[in-house]
Amino acid sequence: MKPQGITLLGATGSIGVNTLDVIARHPDRYRVVALTCHRQTDRLFEQCLAFAPAIAVVADAAAADALGARLAEAGSRTEVWYGPEALEAVARLPEVDMVMAAIVGAAGLRPTLAAAQAGKRVLLANKEALVVSGRLFIDAVRSGGAELLPVDSEHNAIFQSLPRDYAGDLDASGVRKLVLTASGGPFRSLSLDAMRNVSADDACHHPNWVMGRKISVDSATLMNKGLEVIEAHWLFNAPAERIDVVVHPQSVIHSMVQYRDGSVVAQLGSPDMRTPIAYAMSWPERIDSGVASLDFMALSGLSFEAPDLQRFPCLKLAFDALATGGDAPAVLNAANEVAVAAFLEGRIGFLDIARVVADTLDSVSLSASSDLDSLLLRDAEARAFARSCIVT
Ligand code: NAD
Ligand code: MG
């Protein structure tokens, strides 16, 4: 069998590095065609030497020149491209069979959409892209003849727990509810008062998962779970009232499907993203991911609790944005990206994140339109308003 060609959007991030780890275990099955990054060109340089992609993509011309010179000197034949159009171009290349969408934030929307339109297998980690574009993205997958495979561990778990022939109709498949598990993040049992003074490093110290800084903060506010509710809505065609969130601090159950007959089907495993990455890449087969099976005797127990919307208002804001529909999820996401960046830079406090998002949703005029240009315009308006809420 000819190896499948892969483009990795966001190769230098946490998901990108884990994906390359899986690929390295299967040189007969997968071949890296393109690797992209934003600023971490040193890491991209090393990855280009190790995986010999045809193309590497960086942010701008100066970075491309510098990386190109280093690669040529090292004897590499990788070409270096740059800019947003290059990200879309490597997602569409004819020799590419699958695209790992692992850029963080709405910056990944256009190239991920390009992969869908070009009919690739889209391995979706970049949940913000789907949250922003919703219906538009799902329609692009359908009209482009693409395959959409969730990499987010919860959605991958639900995908594994649904019937193989699930076609977007919960009732037809006897499904009562989808249950997303949440670890609760590092501040699960902290009082609101104590959350006032937490630092960016505290927020990025996740109890179970090692991830990029933006998603780590989202996990601490539970905005990550809110984005995941919206993601589940689009991926599985599930209305909000049939998506439950359960806090499960051990992160052993990655999510579950409750069926009409009382059965609950779940996917369990160690908290290691290589499992969902490998499953999305190899589906419907299974390949070695480097992750050991769970050792049940070593588990101290599994516990469950309801999320506290008082202390974690971001989760409620996301449910509300989904109920509002139209471009409200795009506004929620844009305001959150701005607020999280400001928190990571020490310019606002942890509790200000929810305040900035709520104020932006209250102030930016929302609409039902869902074409790409109006979504991107609303995204820009929301970012501008959110920045104006952040006094430095
Ligand atoms: P990360 O910050 O570690 O990596 C982000 C990658 O995107 C890097 O390669 C970076 O160079 C690139 N990038 C950043 N800004 C860019 C821009 N403006 N243009 C082009 N490229 C840009 O993030 P991550 O933790 O790997 O997460 C990536 C995505 O996967 C996010 O959407 C996140 O929500 C999702 N996700 C991550 C995990 C995880 O375990 N890390 C789990 C589930 C979902
Ligand atoms: Mg997740």
mmCIF file with all atom_site columns, all heavy atoms in Angstrom, residues 117-136:
data_model
loop_
_atom_site.group_PDB
_atom_site.id
_atom_site.type_symbol
_atom_site.label_atom_id
_atom_site.label_alt_id
_atom_site.label_comp_id
_atom_site.label_asym_id
_atom_site.label_entity_id
_atom_site.label_seq_id
_atom_site.pdbx_PDB_ins_code
_atom_site.Cartn_x
_atom_site.Cartn_y
_atom_site.Cartn_z
_atom_site.occupancy
_atom_site.B_iso_or_equiv
_atom_site.pdbx_formal_charge
_atom_site.auth_seq_id
_atom_site.auth_comp_id
_atom_site.auth_asym_id
_atom_site.auth_atom_id
_atom_site.pdbx_PDB_model_num
ATOM 1   N N   . GLN A 1 117 ? -12.876 21.560 1.776  1.00 0.00 ? 117 GLN A N   1
ATOM 2   C CA  . GLN A 1 117 ? -13.337 21.816 0.401  1.00 0.00 ? 117 GLN A CA  1
ATOM 3   C C   . GLN A 1 117 ? -12.599 20.945 -0.603 1.00 0.00 ? 117 GLN A C   1
ATOM 4   O O   . GLN A 1 117 ? -13.152 20.575 -1.629 1.00 0.00 ? 117 GLN A O   1
ATOM 5   C CB  . GLN A 1 117 ? -13.124 23.301 0.050  1.00 0.00 ? 117 GLN A CB  1
ATOM 6   C CG  . GLN A 1 117 ? -14.110 24.205 0.758  1.00 0.00 ? 117 GLN A CG  1
ATOM 7   C CD  . GLN A 1 117 ? -13.636 25.656 0.809  1.00 0.00 ? 117 GLN A CD  1
ATOM 8   O OE1 . GLN A 1 117 ? -12.455 25.957 0.592  1.00 0.00 ? 117 GLN A OE1 1
ATOM 9   N NE2 . GLN A 1 117 ? -14.561 26.569 1.118  1.00 0.00 ? 117 GLN A NE2 1
ATOM 10  N N   . ALA A 1 118 ? -11.344 20.623 -0.286 1.00 0.00 ? 118 ALA A N   1
ATOM 11  C CA  . ALA A 1 118 ? -10.545 19.818 -1.218 1.00 0.00 ? 118 ALA A CA  1
ATOM 12  C C   . ALA A 1 118 ? -10.788 18.312 -1.024 1.00 0.00 ? 118 ALA A C   1
ATOM 13  O O   . ALA A 1 118 ? -10.130 17.486 -1.661 1.00 0.00 ? 118 ALA A O   1
ATOM 14  C CB  . ALA A 1 118 ? -9.065  20.152 -1.050 1.00 0.00 ? 118 ALA A CB  1
ATOM 15  N N   . GLY A 1 119 ? -11.713 17.965 -0.121 1.00 0.00 ? 119 GLY A N   1
ATOM 16  C CA  . GLY A 1 119 ? -12.100 16.556 0.028  1.00 0.00 ? 119 GLY A CA  1
ATOM 17  C C   . GLY A 1 119 ? -11.085 15.696 0.748  1.00 0.00 ? 119 GLY A C   1
ATOM 18  O O   . GLY A 1 119 ? -11.017 14.479 0.541  1.00 0.00 ? 119 GLY A O   1
ATOM 19  N N   . LYS A 1 120 ? -10.297 16.300 1.620  1.00 0.00 ? 120 LYS A N   1
ATOM 20  C CA  . LYS A 1 120 ? -9.303  15.523 2.372  1.00 0.00 ? 120 LYS A CA  1
ATOM 21  C C   . LYS A 1 120 ? -9.949  14.840 3.572  1.00 0.00 ? 120 LYS A C   1
ATOM 22  O O   . LYS A 1 120 ? -11.051 15.182 3.980  1.00 0.00 ? 120 LYS A O   1
ATOM 23  C CB  . LYS A 1 120 ? -8.193  16.446 2.896  1.00 0.00 ? 120 LYS A CB  1
ATOM 24  C CG  . LYS A 1 120 ? -7.536  17.328 1.843  1.00 0.00 ? 120 LYS A CG  1
ATOM 25  C CD  . LYS A 1 120 ? -6.925  16.535 0.717  1.00 0.00 ? 120 LYS A CD  1
ATOM 26  C CE  . LYS A 1 120 ? -6.142  17.452 -0.226 1.00 0.00 ? 120 LYS A CE  1
ATOM 27  N NZ  . LYS A 1 120 ? -5.754  16.744 -1.463 1.00 0.00 ? 120 LYS A NZ  1
ATOM 28  N N   . ARG A 1 121 ? -9.219  13.904 4.173  1.00 0.00 ? 121 ARG A N   1
ATOM 29  C CA  . ARG A 1 121 ? -9.593  13.464 5.514  1.00 0.00 ? 121 ARG A CA  1
ATOM 30  C C   . ARG A 1 121 ? -9.093  14.561 6.462  1.00 0.00 ? 121 ARG A C   1
ATOM 31  O O   . ARG A 1 121 ? -7.883  14.832 6.499  1.00 0.00 ? 121 ARG A O   1
ATOM 32  C CB  . ARG A 1 121 ? -8.976  12.121 5.881  1.00 0.00 ? 121 ARG A CB  1
ATOM 33  C CG  . ARG A 1 121 ? -9.208  11.789 7.368  1.00 0.00 ? 121 ARG A CG  1
ATOM 34  C CD  . ARG A 1 121 ? -8.710  10.417 7.769  1.00 0.00 ? 121 ARG A CD  1
ATOM 35  N NE  . ARG A 1 121 ? -9.529  9.357  7.199  1.00 0.00 ? 121 ARG A NE  1
ATOM 36  C CZ  . ARG A 1 121 ? -9.624  8.126  7.702  1.00 0.00 ? 121 ARG A CZ  1
ATOM 37  N NH1 . ARG A 1 121 ? -8.962  7.801  8.795  1.00 0.00 ? 121 ARG A NH1 1
ATOM 38  N NH2 . ARG A 1 121 ? -10.370 7.230  7.114  1.00 0.00 ? 121 ARG A NH2 1
ATOM 39  N N   . VAL A 1 122 ? -10.017 15.200 7.179  1.00 0.00 ? 122 VAL A N   1
ATOM 40  C CA  . VAL A 1 122 ? -9.640  16.287 8.082  1.00 0.00 ? 122 VAL A CA  1
ATOM 41  C C   . VAL A 1 122 ? -9.593  15.742 9.504  1.00 0.00 ? 122 VAL A C   1
ATOM 42  O O   . VAL A 1 122 ? -10.604 15.265 10.043 1.00 0.00 ? 122 VAL A O   1
ATOM 43  C CB  . VAL A 1 122 ? -10.648 17.455 7.998  1.00 0.00 ? 122 VAL A CB  1
ATOM 44  C CG1 . VAL A 1 122 ? -10.221 18.593 8.940  1.00 0.00 ? 122 VAL A CG1 1
ATOM 45  C CG2 . VAL A 1 122 ? -10.771 17.968 6.570  1.00 0.00 ? 122 VAL A CG2 1
ATOM 46  N N   . LEU A 1 123 ? -8.408  15.773 10.096 1.00 0.00 ? 123 LEU A N   1
ATOM 47  C CA  . LEU A 1 123 ? -8.229  15.349 11.483 1.00 0.00 ? 123 LEU A CA  1
ATOM 48  C C   . LEU A 1 123 ? -8.368  16.621 12.302 1.00 0.00 ? 123 LEU A C   1
ATOM 49  O O   . LEU A 1 123 ? -7.478  17.470 12.284 1.00 0.00 ? 123 LEU A O   1
ATOM 50  C CB  . LEU A 1 123 ? -6.845  14.720 11.662 1.00 0.00 ? 123 LEU A CB  1
ATOM 51  C CG  . LEU A 1 123 ? -6.429  13.716 10.569 1.00 0.00 ? 123 LEU A CG  1
ATOM 52  C CD1 . LEU A 1 123 ? -4.958  13.328 10.727 1.00 0.00 ? 123 LEU A CD1 1
ATOM 53  C CD2 . LEU A 1 123 ? -7.307  12.474 10.608 1.00 0.00 ? 123 LEU A CD2 1
ATOM 54  N N   . LEU A 1 124 ? -9.500  16.768 12.968 1.00 0.00 ? 124 LEU A N   1
ATOM 55  C CA  . LEU A 1 124 ? -9.817  18.082 13.552 1.00 0.00 ? 124 LEU A CA  1
ATOM 56  C C   . LEU A 1 124 ? -9.446  18.181 15.024 1.00 0.00 ? 124 LEU A C   1
ATOM 57  O O   . LEU A 1 124 ? -10.121 17.636 15.886 1.00 0.00 ? 124 LEU A O   1
ATOM 58  C CB  . LEU A 1 124 ? -11.311 18.397 13.388 1.00 0.00 ? 124 LEU A CB  1
ATOM 59  C CG  . LEU A 1 124 ? -11.695 19.810 13.865 1.00 0.00 ? 124 LEU A CG  1
ATOM 60  C CD1 . LEU A 1 124 ? -11.218 20.867 12.873 1.00 0.00 ? 124 LEU A CD1 1
ATOM 61  C CD2 . LEU A 1 124 ? -13.190 19.933 14.098 1.00 0.00 ? 124 LEU A CD2 1
ATOM 62  N N   . ALA A 1 125 ? -8.346  18.912 15.288 1.00 0.00 ? 125 ALA A N   1
ATOM 63  C CA  . ALA A 1 125 ? -8.024  19.281 16.669 1.00 0.00 ? 125 ALA A CA  1
ATOM 64  C C   . ALA A 1 125 ? -8.458  20.722 16.919 1.00 0.00 ? 125 ALA A C   1
ATOM 65  O O   . ALA A 1 125 ? -8.900  21.073 18.007 1.00 0.00 ? 125 ALA A O   1
ATOM 66  C CB  . ALA A 1 125 ? -6.527  19.137 16.923 1.00 0.00 ? 125 ALA A CB  1
ATOM 67  N N   . ASN A 1 126 ? -8.344  21.542 15.885 1.00 0.00 ? 126 ASN A N   1
ATOM 68  C CA  . ASN A 1 126 ? -8.619  22.983 15.958 1.00 0.00 ? 126 ASN A CA  1
ATOM 69  C C   . ASN A 1 126 ? -10.125 23.247 16.138 1.00 0.00 ? 126 ASN A C   1
ATOM 70  O O   . ASN A 1 126 ? -10.835 23.623 15.221 1.00 0.00 ? 126 ASN A O   1
ATOM 71  C CB  . ASN A 1 126 ? -8.105  23.614 14.644 1.00 0.00 ? 126 ASN A CB  1
ATOM 72  C CG  . ASN A 1 126 ? -8.243  25.128 14.570 1.00 0.00 ? 126 ASN A CG  1
ATOM 73  O OD1 . ASN A 1 126 ? -8.169  25.689 13.491 1.00 0.00 ? 126 ASN A OD1 1
ATOM 74  N ND2 . ASN A 1 126 ? -8.464  25.797 15.703 1.00 0.00 ? 126 ASN A ND2 1
ATOM 75  N N   . LYS A 1 127 ? -10.587 23.061 17.382 1.00 0.00 ? 127 LYS A N   1
ATOM 76  C CA  . LYS A 1 127 ? -12.035 23.171 17.644 1.00 0.00 ? 127 LYS A CA  1
ATOM 77  C C   . LYS A 1 127 ? -12.556 24.568 17.367 1.00 0.00 ? 127 LYS A C   1
ATOM 78  O O   . LYS A 1 127 ? -13.701 24.747 16.978 1.00 0.00 ? 127 LYS A O   1
ATOM 79  C CB  . LYS A 1 127 ? -12.341 22.757 19.085 1.00 0.00 ? 127 LYS A CB  1
ATOM 80  C CG  . LYS A 1 127 ? -11.763 23.648 20.151 1.00 0.00 ? 127 LYS A CG  1
ATOM 81  C CD  . LYS A 1 127 ? -11.851 23.004 21.534 1.00 0.00 ? 127 LYS A CD  1
ATOM 82  C CE  . LYS A 1 127 ? -10.676 22.085 21.771 1.00 0.00 ? 127 LYS A CE  1
ATOM 83  N NZ  . LYS A 1 127 ? -10.683 21.379 23.035 1.00 0.00 ? 127 LYS A NZ  1
ATOM 84  N N   . GLU A 1 128 ? -11.671 25.603 17.555 1.00 0.00 ? 128 GLU A N   1
ATOM 85  C CA  . GLU A 1 128 ? -12.138 26.978 17.338 1.00 0.00 ? 128 GLU A CA  1
ATOM 86  C C   . GLU A 1 128 ? -12.625 27.165 15.893 1.00 0.00 ? 128 GLU A C   1
ATOM 87  O O   . GLU A 1 128 ? -13.573 27.923 15.659 1.00 0.00 ? 128 GLU A O   1
ATOM 88  C CB  . GLU A 1 128 ? -11.023 27.982 17.644 1.00 0.00 ? 128 GLU A CB  1
ATOM 89  C CG  . GLU A 1 128 ? -10.554 27.995 19.113 1.00 0.00 ? 128 GLU A CG  1
ATOM 90  C CD  . GLU A 1 128 ? -9.363  27.059 19.363 1.00 0.00 ? 128 GLU A CD  1
ATOM 91  O OE1 . GLU A 1 128 ? -9.096  26.161 18.521 1.00 0.00 ? 128 GLU A OE1 1
ATOM 92  O OE2 . GLU A 1 128 ? -8.689  27.224 20.402 1.00 0.00 ? 128 GLU A OE2 1
ATOM 93  N N   . ALA A 1 129 ? -11.985 26.491 14.931 1.00 0.00 ? 129 ALA A N   1
ATOM 94  C CA  . ALA A 1 129 ? -12.395 26.618 13.529 1.00 0.00 ? 129 ALA A CA  1
ATOM 95  C C   . ALA A 1 129 ? -13.853 26.189 13.360 1.00 0.00 ? 129 ALA A C   1
ATOM 96  O O   . ALA A 1 129 ? -14.644 26.853 12.679 1.00 0.00 ? 129 ALA A O   1
ATOM 97  C CB  . ALA A 1 129 ? -11.482 25.782 12.627 1.00 0.00 ? 129 ALA A CB  1
ATOM 98  N N   . LEU A 1 130 ? -14.218 25.089 14.000 1.00 0.00 ? 130 LEU A N   1
ATOM 99  C CA  . LEU A 1 130 ? -15.589 24.594 13.877 1.00 0.00 ? 130 LEU A CA  1
ATOM 100 C C   . LEU A 1 130 ? -16.557 25.456 14.677 1.00 0.00 ? 130 LEU A C   1
ATOM 101 O O   . LEU A 1 130 ? -17.689 25.709 14.250 1.00 0.00 ? 130 LEU A O   1
ATOM 102 C CB  . LEU A 1 130 ? -15.647 23.124 14.348 1.00 0.00 ? 130 LEU A CB  1
ATOM 103 C CG  . LEU A 1 130 ? -16.978 22.412 14.213 1.00 0.00 ? 130 LEU A CG  1
ATOM 104 C CD1 . LEU A 1 130 ? -17.509 22.471 12.782 1.00 0.00 ? 130 LEU A CD1 1
ATOM 105 C CD2 . LEU A 1 130 ? -16.859 20.955 14.650 1.00 0.00 ? 130 LEU A CD2 1
ATOM 106 N N   . VAL A 1 131 ? -16.117 25.933 15.847 1.00 0.00 ? 131 VAL A N   1
ATOM 107 C CA  . VAL A 1 131 ? -16.979 26.799 16.665 1.00 0.00 ? 131 VAL A CA  1
ATOM 108 C C   . VAL A 1 131 ? -17.318 28.083 15.897 1.00 0.00 ? 131 VAL A C   1
ATOM 109 O O   . VAL A 1 131 ? -18.458 28.534 15.900 1.00 0.00 ? 131 VAL A O   1
ATOM 110 C CB  . VAL A 1 131 ? -16.295 27.124 18.010 1.00 0.00 ? 131 VAL A CB  1
ATOM 111 C CG1 . VAL A 1 131 ? -17.003 28.260 18.734 1.00 0.00 ? 131 VAL A CG1 1
ATOM 112 C CG2 . VAL A 1 131 ? -16.244 25.883 18.884 1.00 0.00 ? 131 VAL A CG2 1
ATOM 113 N N   . VAL A 1 132 ? -16.326 28.637 15.223 1.00 0.00 ? 132 VAL A N   1
ATOM 114 C CA  . VAL A 1 132 ? -16.545 29.889 14.496 1.00 0.00 ? 132 VAL A CA  1
ATOM 115 C C   . VAL A 1 132 ? -17.447 29.661 13.287 1.00 0.00 ? 132 VAL A C   1
ATOM 116 O O   . VAL A 1 132 ? -18.359 30.435 13.030 1.00 0.00 ? 132 VAL A O   1
ATOM 117 C CB  . VAL A 1 132 ? -15.193 30.502 14.040 1.00 0.00 ? 132 VAL A CB  1
ATOM 118 C CG1 . VAL A 1 132 ? -15.411 31.662 13.082 1.00 0.00 ? 132 VAL A CG1 1
ATOM 119 C CG2 . VAL A 1 132 ? -14.392 30.954 15.251 1.00 0.00 ? 132 VAL A CG2 1
ATOM 120 N N   . SER A 1 133 ? -17.191 28.594 12.538 1.00 0.00 ? 133 SER A N   1
ATOM 121 C CA  . SER A 1 133 ? -17.851 28.486 11.233 1.00 0.00 ? 133 SER A CA  1
ATOM 122 C C   . SER A 1 133 ? -19.021 27.506 11.194 1.00 0.00 ? 133 SER A C   1
ATOM 123 O O   . SER A 1 133 ? -19.827 27.562 10.263 1.00 0.00 ? 133 SER A O   1
ATOM 124 C CB  . SER A 1 133 ? -16.821 28.110 10.166 1.00 0.00 ? 133 SER A CB  1
ATOM 125 O OG  . SER A 1 133 ? -16.247 26.856 10.464 1.00 0.00 ? 133 SER A OG  1
ATOM 126 N N   . GLY A 1 134 ? -19.145 26.626 12.181 1.00 0.00 ? 134 GLY A N   1
ATOM 127 C CA  . GLY A 1 134 ? -20.324 25.766 12.339 1.00 0.00 ? 134 GLY A CA  1
ATOM 128 C C   . GLY A 1 134 ? -20.884 25.164 11.061 1.00 0.00 ? 134 GLY A C   1
ATOM 129 O O   . GLY A 1 134 ? -20.237 24.353 10.398 1.00 0.00 ? 134 GLY A O   1
ATOM 130 N N   . ARG A 1 135 ? -22.075 25.617 10.721 1.00 0.00 ? 135 ARG A N   1
ATOM 131 C CA  . ARG A 1 135 ? -22.805 25.083 9.560  1.00 0.00 ? 135 ARG A CA  1
ATOM 132 C C   . ARG A 1 135 ? -21.965 25.164 8.286  1.00 0.00 ? 135 ARG A C   1
ATOM 133 O O   . ARG A 1 135 ? -21.923 24.213 7.495  1.00 0.00 ? 135 ARG A O   1
ATOM 134 C CB  . ARG A 1 135 ? -24.120 25.876 9.424  1.00 0.00 ? 135 ARG A CB  1
ATOM 135 C CG  . ARG A 1 135 ? -24.861 25.769 8.126  1.00 0.00 ? 135 ARG A CG  1
ATOM 136 C CD  . ARG A 1 135 ? -25.519 24.420 7.905  1.00 0.00 ? 135 ARG A CD  1
ATOM 137 N NE  . ARG A 1 135 ? -26.308 24.001 9.043  1.00 0.00 ? 135 ARG A NE  1
ATOM 138 C CZ  . ARG A 1 135 ? -26.424 22.711 9.437  1.00 0.00 ? 135 ARG A CZ  1
ATOM 139 N NH1 . ARG A 1 135 ? -25.801 21.754 8.789  1.00 0.00 ? 135 ARG A NH1 1
ATOM 140 N NH2 . ARG A 1 135 ? -27.153 22.406 10.488 1.00 0.00 ? 135 ARG A NH2 1
ATOM 141 N N   . LEU A 1 136 ? -21.290 26.308 8.101  1.00 0.00 ? 136 LEU A N   1
ATOM 142 C CA  . LEU A 1 136 ? -20.469 26.515 6.903  1.00 0.00 ? 136 LEU A CA  1
ATOM 143 C C   . LEU A 1 136 ? -19.428 25.396 6.756  1.00 0.00 ? 136 LEU A C   1
ATOM 144 O O   . LEU A 1 136 ? -19.207 24.849 5.676  1.00 0.00 ? 136 LEU A O   1
ATOM 145 C CB  . LEU A 1 136 ? -19.763 27.868 7.052  1.00 0.00 ? 136 LEU A CB  1
ATOM 146 C CG  . LEU A 1 136 ? -18.846 28.336 5.949  1.00 0.00 ? 136 LEU A CG  1
ATOM 147 C CD1 . LEU A 1 136 ? -19.667 28.953 4.829  1.00 0.00 ? 136 LEU A CD1 1
ATOM 148 C CD2 . LEU A 1 136 ? -17.849 29.368 6.477  1.00 0.00 ? 136 LEU A CD2 1
#
